Amino acid sequence: YGDTMTDLNIVTLVSVGAHPTSGRSRRAEQDARAVELGLRLAGLGAYVHPMYLTVLVPTVAVAAVVHRRHVRRWWLPATGAAVAVNVPFLAWNAVNGWPSLTEQEHPPGTYTGRLRGFVEGLLPRVVGARGSSGEWIYGRPLGLVVYLAVIAGVVAGCVVLVRSVQGPSRWVVPVSLIVCLPAMALPPNLAYVADGRYGVILFPYLAIALGAAASAAVRRVRGWARTG
């Protein structure tokens, strides 16, 4: 597996890059190159750590749906690119008897239990409200306020993106955020919530949503100031 910053950079490139490639009128050749590059990066993200597929798949899916009219032009080079970057990983598995397919040990639990753990344990750590050992950094009451305020900002940012951004790229962030945690809860070996690195995959999408909410709030305040 690659280091966390490499993983984060790849996800950021895919998430940010999906906006212009999904929302502008392009020629079919440009569409093909854009989706191919996106899947190449998504394949690299899967190579450095498979858990990044939980956000990369919905992100690429939005771009793929947008460019579905030109699917014959891009599906083969795009899929080939995603596979090509994983050739070393696939070759290593083939030589060593496919150890990556061997079921790993994981803590007992249920799907709903893992999903609840992400909401109550992982996300508060991601936003800085809880520490690695589970303690509330600012105390439980204030920590809950901070946590809920960040989540409210993310939801507001998604609403702003959907309402204000023209083109289908407005769905990239909301769809990826909605799909991510339910998808992460599927494999039992992603049940750990004390390690904040499992929440790093959400950072680009959280940042985009919070940035959209903050920009909308600033514009509204400026509007009030002008009219007042």
Side-chain angles (χ1 to χ4, degrees), residues 6-7 9-15 17-18 34-48 52-53 56 60 78 81-82 85-86:
T6 300
D7 304 339
N9 289 335
I10 293 171
V11 176
T12 301
L13 286 172
V14 176
S15 61
V35 180
E36 178 184 351
L37 177 59
L39 280 185
R40 189 186 296 272
L41 289 170
L44 183 59
Y47 172 73
V48 293
Y52 287 90
L53 290 174
L56 292 174
V60 173
V85 296
N86 281 281

Short mmCIF file of all heavy atoms in Angstrom, two decimals, residues 6-7 9-15 17-18 34-48 52-53 56 60 78 81-82 85-86:
data_model
loop_
_atom_site.label_atom_id
_atom_site.label_comp_id
_atom_site.label_asym_id
_atom_site.label_seq_id
_atom_site.Cartn_x
_atom_site.Cartn_y
_atom_site.Cartn_z
N THR A 6 0.00 10.16 -0.71
CA THR A 6 -0.14 9.77 -2.11
C THR A 6 -1.58 9.40 -2.42
O THR A 6 -2.15 9.81 -3.44
CB THR A 6 0.79 8.58 -2.43
OG1 THR A 6 2.14 8.96 -2.18
CG2 THR A 6 0.64 8.16 -3.89
N ASP A 7 -2.18 8.61 -1.53
CA ASP A 7 -3.58 8.22 -1.71
C ASP A 7 -4.47 9.46 -1.77
O ASP A 7 -5.35 9.57 -2.63
CB ASP A 7 -4.04 7.33 -0.55
CG ASP A 7 -3.14 6.10 -0.39
OD1 ASP A 7 -2.46 5.76 -1.37
OD2 ASP A 7 -3.14 5.52 0.70
N ASN A 9 -3.72 12.54 -2.53
CA ASN A 9 -3.49 13.32 -3.74
C ASN A 9 -4.22 12.72 -4.93
O ASN A 9 -4.79 13.44 -5.76
CB ASN A 9 -1.99 13.40 -4.04
CG ASN A 9 -1.25 14.29 -3.06
OD1 ASN A 9 -1.83 15.18 -2.46
ND2 ASN A 9 0.03 14.03 -2.88
N ILE A 10 -4.22 11.40 -5.03
CA ILE A 10 -4.90 10.74 -6.15
C ILE A 10 -6.40 10.98 -6.08
O ILE A 10 -7.04 11.33 -7.07
CB ILE A 10 -4.59 9.23 -6.14
CG1 ILE A 10 -3.12 9.00 -6.46
CG2 ILE A 10 -5.47 8.48 -7.15
CD1 ILE A 10 -2.68 7.56 -6.26
N VAL A 11 -6.98 10.79 -4.89
CA VAL A 11 -8.42 11.00 -4.74
C VAL A 11 -8.78 12.45 -5.02
O VAL A 11 -9.81 12.75 -5.64
CB VAL A 11 -8.87 10.59 -3.33
CG1 VAL A 11 -10.35 10.90 -3.13
CG2 VAL A 11 -8.63 9.10 -3.11
N THR A 12 -7.93 13.38 -4.59
CA THR A 12 -8.19 14.79 -4.83
C THR A 12 -8.19 15.09 -6.32
O THR A 12 -9.07 15.82 -6.82
CB THR A 12 -7.13 15.67 -4.13
OG1 THR A 12 -7.15 15.39 -2.72
CG2 THR A 12 -7.40 17.14 -4.35
N LEU A 13 -7.23 14.55 -7.05
CA LEU A 13 -7.18 14.78 -8.49
C LEU A 13 -8.43 14.25 -9.18
O LEU A 13 -8.99 14.90 -10.06
CB LEU A 13 -5.93 14.10 -9.08
CG LEU A 13 -4.59 14.77 -8.79
CD1 LEU A 13 -3.45 13.88 -9.27
CD2 LEU A 13 -4.53 16.13 -9.48
N VAL A 14 -8.88 13.07 -8.77
CA VAL A 14 -10.07 12.50 -9.40
C VAL A 14 -11.31 13.30 -9.05
O VAL A 14 -12.15 13.61 -9.91
CB VAL A 14 -10.25 11.02 -8.99
CG1 VAL A 14 -11.55 10.45 -9.56
CG2 VAL A 14 -9.07 10.19 -9.47
N SER A 15 -11.46 13.66 -7.76
CA SER A 15 -12.67 14.36 -7.32
C SER A 15 -12.76 15.76 -7.92
O SER A 15 -13.81 16.19 -8.40
CB SER A 15 -12.72 14.44 -5.79
OG SER A 15 -11.60 15.16 -5.30
N GLY A 17 -11.00 16.85 -10.58
CA GLY A 17 -11.00 16.74 -12.04
C GLY A 17 -12.34 16.33 -12.60
O GLY A 17 -12.66 16.63 -13.75
N ALA A 18 -13.15 15.66 -11.81
CA ALA A 18 -14.46 15.21 -12.31
C ALA A 18 -15.39 16.38 -12.56
O ALA A 18 -16.33 16.27 -13.35
CB ALA A 18 -15.11 14.25 -11.31
N ALA A 34 -10.58 12.42 -21.21
CA ALA A 34 -10.86 12.82 -19.82
C ALA A 34 -11.26 11.62 -18.98
O ALA A 34 -10.77 11.43 -17.86
CB ALA A 34 -11.97 13.88 -19.81
N VAL A 35 -12.19 10.79 -19.48
CA VAL A 35 -12.63 9.63 -18.72
C VAL A 35 -11.50 8.62 -18.60
O VAL A 35 -11.34 7.96 -17.56
CB VAL A 35 -13.87 9.00 -19.37
CG1 VAL A 35 -14.32 7.79 -18.57
CG2 VAL A 35 -15.00 10.01 -19.43
N GLU A 36 -10.69 8.47 -19.65
CA GLU A 36 -9.56 7.55 -19.58
C GLU A 36 -8.59 7.96 -18.48
O GLU A 36 -8.12 7.13 -17.69
CB GLU A 36 -8.84 7.51 -20.92
CG GLU A 36 -7.60 6.61 -20.92
CD GLU A 36 -6.84 6.65 -22.23
OE1 GLU A 36 -7.36 7.25 -23.20
OE2 GLU A 36 -5.73 6.10 -22.27
N LEU A 37 -8.28 9.26 -18.42
CA LEU A 37 -7.38 9.75 -17.38
C LEU A 37 -7.99 9.53 -16.00
O LEU A 37 -7.30 9.13 -15.06
CB LEU A 37 -7.09 11.24 -17.59
CG LEU A 37 -6.21 11.91 -16.53
CD1 LEU A 37 -4.85 11.22 -16.45
CD2 LEU A 37 -6.04 13.40 -16.83
N GLY A 38 -9.30 9.79 -15.88
CA GLY A 38 -9.96 9.58 -14.59
C GLY A 38 -9.89 8.14 -14.14
O GLY A 38 -9.60 7.85 -12.97
N LEU A 39 -10.14 7.20 -15.05
CA LEU A 39 -10.08 5.79 -14.67
C LEU A 39 -8.65 5.33 -14.44
O LEU A 39 -8.40 4.42 -13.64
CB LEU A 39 -10.75 4.93 -15.74
CG LEU A 39 -12.28 4.88 -15.69
CD1 LEU A 39 -12.82 3.89 -16.71
CD2 LEU A 39 -12.78 4.51 -14.31
N ARG A 40 -7.71 5.93 -15.15
CA ARG A 40 -6.30 5.59 -14.89
C ARG A 40 -5.93 5.97 -13.46
O ARG A 40 -5.30 5.20 -12.73
CB ARG A 40 -5.41 6.31 -15.88
CG ARG A 40 -3.94 5.85 -15.85
CD ARG A 40 -3.12 6.72 -16.77
NE ARG A 40 -3.51 6.59 -18.16
CZ ARG A 40 -3.02 5.68 -18.99
NH1 ARG A 40 -2.13 4.82 -18.55
NH2 ARG A 40 -3.42 5.64 -20.24
N LEU A 41 -6.32 7.18 -13.04
CA LEU A 41 -6.06 7.61 -11.68
C LEU A 41 -6.85 6.79 -10.67
O LEU A 41 -6.34 6.45 -9.59
CB LEU A 41 -6.40 9.09 -11.52
CG LEU A 41 -5.47 10.08 -12.22
CD1 LEU A 41 -6.05 11.48 -12.19
CD2 LEU A 41 -4.10 10.06 -11.56
N ALA A 42 -8.09 6.45 -11.01
CA ALA A 42 -8.89 5.63 -10.11
C ALA A 42 -8.27 4.24 -9.96
O ALA A 42 -8.25 3.68 -8.85
CB ALA A 42 -10.32 5.50 -10.64
N GLY A 43 -7.76 3.69 -11.04
CA GLY A 43 -7.07 2.41 -10.95
C GLY A 43 -5.83 2.49 -10.09
O GLY A 43 -5.53 1.58 -9.31
N LEU A 44 -5.10 3.62 -10.19
CA LEU A 44 -3.94 3.82 -9.34
C LEU A 44 -4.36 3.94 -7.89
O LEU A 44 -3.68 3.44 -6.98
CB LEU A 44 -3.18 5.07 -9.78
CG LEU A 44 -1.89 5.39 -9.03
CD1 LEU A 44 -0.90 4.23 -9.14
CD2 LEU A 44 -1.27 6.67 -9.56
N GLY A 45 -5.49 4.61 -7.64
CA GLY A 45 -6.00 4.71 -6.27
C GLY A 45 -6.35 3.35 -5.69
O GLY A 45 -6.08 3.07 -4.52
N ALA A 46 -6.94 2.48 -6.51
CA ALA A 46 -7.26 1.12 -6.06
C ALA A 46 -5.99 0.34 -5.78
O ALA A 46 -5.94 -0.52 -4.89
CB ALA A 46 -8.10 0.40 -7.10
N TYR A 47 -4.93 0.64 -6.53
CA TYR A 47 -3.66 -0.06 -6.34
C TYR A 47 -3.02 0.30 -5.00
O TYR A 47 -2.54 -0.58 -4.28
CB TYR A 47 -2.70 0.28 -7.49
CG TYR A 47 -1.30 -0.23 -7.30
CD1 TYR A 47 -1.02 -1.59 -7.43
CD2 TYR A 47 -0.26 0.64 -6.99
CE1 TYR A 47 0.27 -2.06 -7.26
CE2 TYR A 47 1.03 0.17 -6.81
CZ TYR A 47 1.29 -1.18 -6.95
OH TYR A 47 2.57 -1.64 -6.77
N VAL A 48 -3.03 1.60 -4.65
CA VAL A 48 -2.38 2.00 -3.41
C VAL A 48 -3.18 1.56 -2.19
O VAL A 48 -2.63 1.28 -1.14
CB VAL A 48 -2.12 3.51 -3.37
CG1 VAL A 48 -1.10 3.91 -4.41
CG2 VAL A 48 -3.39 4.30 -3.58
N TYR A 52 -10.13 2.98 -1.27
CA TYR A 52 -10.42 4.22 -1.97
C TYR A 52 -11.45 4.01 -3.09
O TYR A 52 -11.99 4.99 -3.61
CB TYR A 52 -9.14 4.83 -2.54
CG TYR A 52 -8.29 5.43 -1.46
CD1 TYR A 52 -7.32 4.67 -0.81
CD2 TYR A 52 -8.47 6.74 -1.06
CE1 TYR A 52 -6.56 5.21 0.21
CE2 TYR A 52 -7.71 7.29 -0.04
CZ TYR A 52 -6.75 6.52 0.60
OH TYR A 52 -6.01 7.05 1.61
N LEU A 53 -11.75 2.78 -3.42
CA LEU A 53 -12.78 2.51 -4.40
C LEU A 53 -14.15 2.99 -3.92
O LEU A 53 -15.04 3.25 -4.73
CB LEU A 53 -12.84 1.01 -4.71
CG LEU A 53 -11.67 0.44 -5.50
CD1 LEU A 53 -11.79 -1.07 -5.60
CD2 LEU A 53 -11.60 1.06 -6.89
N LEU A 56 -13.95 6.50 -5.25
CA LEU A 56 -13.54 6.62 -6.63
C LEU A 56 -14.58 6.04 -7.58
O LEU A 56 -14.82 6.59 -8.66
CB LEU A 56 -12.19 5.91 -6.83
CG LEU A 56 -11.00 6.57 -6.14
CD1 LEU A 56 -9.75 5.72 -6.29
CD2 LEU A 56 -10.75 7.97 -6.70
N VAL A 60 -16.22 8.23 -10.54
CA VAL A 60 -16.05 7.86 -11.95
C VAL A 60 -17.39 7.49 -12.57
O VAL A 60 -17.62 7.75 -13.76
CB VAL A 60 -15.04 6.69 -12.06
CG1 VAL A 60 -14.98 6.17 -13.48
CG2 VAL A 60 -13.66 7.15 -11.61
N ALA A 78 -10.28 3.44 -21.38
CA ALA A 78 -10.42 3.79 -19.97
C ALA A 78 -10.28 2.56 -19.09
O ALA A 78 -9.55 2.55 -18.08
CB ALA A 78 -11.76 4.47 -19.72
N ALA A 81 -6.75 1.33 -19.14
CA ALA A 81 -5.86 2.14 -18.32
C ALA A 81 -5.97 1.78 -16.85
O ALA A 81 -4.97 1.70 -16.13
CB ALA A 81 -6.18 3.62 -18.53
N ALA A 82 -7.21 1.56 -16.39
CA ALA A 82 -7.41 1.20 -14.98
C ALA A 82 -6.76 -0.14 -14.66
O ALA A 82 -6.21 -0.33 -13.57
CB ALA A 82 -8.90 1.14 -14.67
N VAL A 85 -2.50 0.06 -14.78
CA VAL A 85 -1.76 0.55 -13.62
C VAL A 85 -1.72 -0.49 -12.50
O VAL A 85 -0.92 -0.37 -11.56
CB VAL A 85 -2.38 1.86 -13.08
CG1 VAL A 85 -2.26 2.95 -14.11
CG2 VAL A 85 -3.83 1.66 -12.67
N ASN A 86 -2.56 -1.51 -12.57
CA ASN A 86 -2.57 -2.56 -11.56
C ASN A 86 -1.84 -3.82 -12.00
O ASN A 86 -1.89 -4.84 -11.29
CB ASN A 86 -4.02 -2.92 -11.21
CG ASN A 86 -4.64 -1.92 -10.25
OD1 ASN A 86 -4.39 -1.95 -9.05
ND2 ASN A 86 -5.45 -1.04 -10.79
#
